[in-house]
């Protein structure tokens, strides 16, 4: 959501167009009814970017459906560069006056964008997009409570129903749970893959770590029973049964529902994006951030932590970890060797500075701009140093 909003500001700036405050998707798995203003401070968003782009809260009446106007709807091509927007998209505005992009995620290339626009992407993300005062107040309270008890790890445990159903990953699930996930996958027609080989996908490193796997990895990385761990996620699939080993190894596990007074959360519950905003704030502020799946939230948190001074973010190499976990659990790899191997694999996956990896003609495989916006981080220095 953050990345898509930032990109639309850049497109508006590039084409010298007026941007209407974006509408948020309400048809996803979580069916969150939140509007932009329920999550982000609209006035700050508009005012902080006033010198770069004109942003309005809603379309003028003459361009509304009520007055019979039909906006031209389209999805821009994914990972598109400046030339595409200038040559293919800009002429549409001369013809239609209003163009409604009904897809905005990953519609702007990671690389090859002029430097001032790349820096504007960062300005929107790190300065223009503030959460609402209500979210910020509660988020800072969460952070303060955690910090008062000492250093803490934010574990983005992406072991939620939507992720498992979408990815087809069922390792550790019962037969009934696997069937439930499969039914859910078929219930959403825009999830294209239906028949998925779970173990094959896991061996390829394409599955989120299970709570049990995450427990072993945390222990191998040197975290002990005294470590304070904040679980940044929605409801874990399999609930407490799947969290048992993690709780046994790390008794100081907390989440927002256990830290806050029950009266403080109801206004945010049933609004998954607002709950995720709270987790985002805690994850950015944590001493160590560890995502069990390298998805959108993990990438944007990683980038934010880089911006704040390359704070430690341990990014699990899931393909290598699955290999090591299986060897350890079948008795082939003793604990000390397993722990040493896990630490060696992650020596250079701690959020250190490095240049964003570029893969010509394969934008999905190259490093994501918002995970490592190095144009905004390494001016005057070399990221490699």
């Amino acid at each position: 959501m953050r990345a898509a909003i930032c990109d639309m500001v850049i497109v508006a700036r590039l084409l010298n167009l007026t941007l209407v405050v974006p509408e948020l998707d309400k048809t996803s798995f979580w069916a969150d009814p939140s509007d932009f203003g329920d999550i982000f401070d609209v006035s700050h968003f508009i005012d902080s970017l006033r010198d770069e782009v004109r942003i309005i809260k809603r379309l003028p009446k003459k361009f509304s459906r009520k007055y019979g106007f039909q906006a031209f709807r389209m999805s821009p091509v994914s990972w598109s560069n400046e030339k595409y927007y200038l040559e293919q998209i800009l002429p549409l505005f001369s013809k239609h006056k209003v163009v409604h992009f009904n897809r905005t995620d990953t519609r702007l290339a990671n690389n090859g964008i002029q430097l001032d626009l790349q820096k504007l992407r960062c300005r929107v993300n790190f300065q223009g997009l503030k959460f609402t005062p209500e979210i910020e107040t509660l988020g800072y309270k969460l952070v303060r409570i955690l910090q008062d008890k000492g250093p803490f790890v934010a574990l983005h445990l992406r072991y939620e129903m939507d992720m498992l159903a979408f990815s087809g990953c069922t390792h550790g699930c019962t037969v009934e749970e696997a069937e439930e996930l499969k039914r859910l996958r078929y219930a959403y027609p825009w999830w294209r893959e239906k028949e998925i080989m779970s173990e094959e996908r896991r061996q390829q490193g394409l599955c989120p770590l299970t709570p049990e796997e995450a427990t072993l990895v945390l222990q191998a990385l040197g975290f002990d029973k005294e470590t304070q761990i904040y679980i940044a996620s929605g409801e874990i699939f399999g609930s407490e049964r799947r969290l048992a080993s993690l709780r046994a190894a790390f008794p100081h596990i907390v989440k927002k529902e256990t830290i806050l007074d029950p009266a403080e959360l109801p206004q945010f519950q049933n609004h998954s994006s607002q709950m995720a905003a709270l987790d985002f704030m805690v994850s950015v502020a944590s001493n160590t951030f560890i995502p069990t799946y390298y998805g959108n939230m993990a990438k944007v948190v990683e980038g934010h932590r880089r911006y704040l001074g390359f704070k430690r973010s341990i990014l699990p190499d899931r393909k290598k970890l699955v290999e090591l976990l299986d060897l350890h659990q079948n008795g082939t790899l003793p604990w000390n060797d397993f722990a040493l191997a896990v630490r060696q694999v992650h020596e250079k996956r701690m959020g250190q500075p490095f240049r964003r990896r570029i893969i010509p003609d394969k934008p999905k495989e190259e490093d994501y701009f918002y995970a490592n916006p190095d144009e905004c981080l390494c001016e005057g220095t070399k990221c490699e140093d």
Side-chain angles (χ1 to χ4, degrees), residues 342-354:
V342 169
R343 289 195 294 272
Q344 287 176 337
V345 165
H346 294 91
E347 281 178 353
K348 295 185 178 180
R349 299 177 67 89
M350 299 277 185
Q352 302 99 321
F354 65 87

Side-chain angles (χ1 to χ4, degrees), residues 71-98:
F72 180 72
R73 293 170 60 89
M74 66 168 293
S75 298
V77 175
S78 296
W79 309 112
S80 294
N81 59 20
E82 295 170 53
K83 183 179 179 182
Y84 166 80
Y85 282 100
L86 289 167
E87 296 182 1
Q88 303 293 321
I89 299 299
L90 186 57
L92 296 174
F93 285 88
S94 300
K95 181 179 179 181
H96 299 285
K97 306 303 179 187
V98 177

Side-chain angles (χ1 to χ4, degrees), residues 128-172:
L129 282 179
K130 281 184 64 177
F131 292 124
T132 63
E134 294 79 11
I135 290 174
E136 289 219 331
T137 298
L138 197 57
Y140 285 130
K141 181 176 181 179
L142 273 169
V143 171
R144 192 166 59 251
I145 291 171
L146 288 160
Q147 289 177 337
D148 285 347
K149 294 180 180 178
F152 69 96
V153 174
L155 179 67
H156 187 220
L157 192 58
R158 194 67 170 93
Y159 205 76
E160 298 146 310
M161 182 180 277
D162 68 316
M163 168 53 66
L164 300 177
F166 176 76
S167 64
C169 296
T170 57
H171 185 73

Side-chain angles (χ1 to χ4, degrees), residues 184-337:
L184 183 63
R185 192 158 62 248
Y186 273 90
Y188 285 84
W190 53 88
W191 290 357
R192 294 177 185 175
E193 281 190 276
K194 303 301 180 185
E195 294 296 328
I196 299 174
M197 301 295 290
S198 174
E199 277 308 308
E200 182 178 307
R201 181 153 292 193
R202 178 174 173 269
Q203 295 299 325
Q204 294 169 343
L206 300 176
C207 288
L209 296 177
T210 68
E212 296 85 356
E213 290 171 337
T215 302
L216 293 171
V217 171
L218 285 168
Q219 290 175 314
L221 288 169
F223 297 103
D224 60 25
K225 278 182 171 290
E226 299 307 310
T227 304
Q228 184 183 195
I229 297 180
Y230 176 88
I231 303 292
S233 76
E235 186 176 349
I236 300 302
F237 188 66
S239 195
E240 287 302 312
R241 175 179 68 85
R242 298 307 300 273
L243 287 172
S245 61
L246 191 60
R247 287 194 186 281
F250 301 101
H252 302 293
I253 281 183
V254 294
K255 50 186 180 178
K256 50 192 173 295
E257 291 85 354
T258 61
I259 295 178
L260 297 171
D261 187 290
E264 294 179 289
L265 267 183
Q267 63 174 313
F268 301 105
Q269 286 172 329
N270 301 320
H271 296 83
S272 59
S273 295
Q274 296 179 48
M275 295 286 271
L278 295 171
D279 283 340
F280 180 90
M281 288 186 67
V282 176
S283 296
V284 167
S286 64
N287 298 84
T288 304
F289 172 65
I290 306 176
T292 59
Y293 184 80
Y294 197 47
N296 293 326
M297 174 137 163
K299 291 173 182 175
V300 178
V301 169
E302 177 196 355
H304 220 98
R305 291 173 65 82
R306 288 177 177 279
Y307 175 74
L308 294 174
F310 302 101
K311 298 174 72 173
R312 187 162 76 149
S313 302
I314 303 177
L315 307 173
D317 182 336
R318 295 190 310 282
K319 185 174 182 180
K320 186 63 179 176
L321 281 175
V322 164
E323 179 186 328
L324 294 173
L325 284 160
D326 287 349
L327 287 172
H328 172 63
Q329 291 178 312
N330 69 19
T332 307
L333 188 65
W335 174 257
N336 287 343
D337 295 339

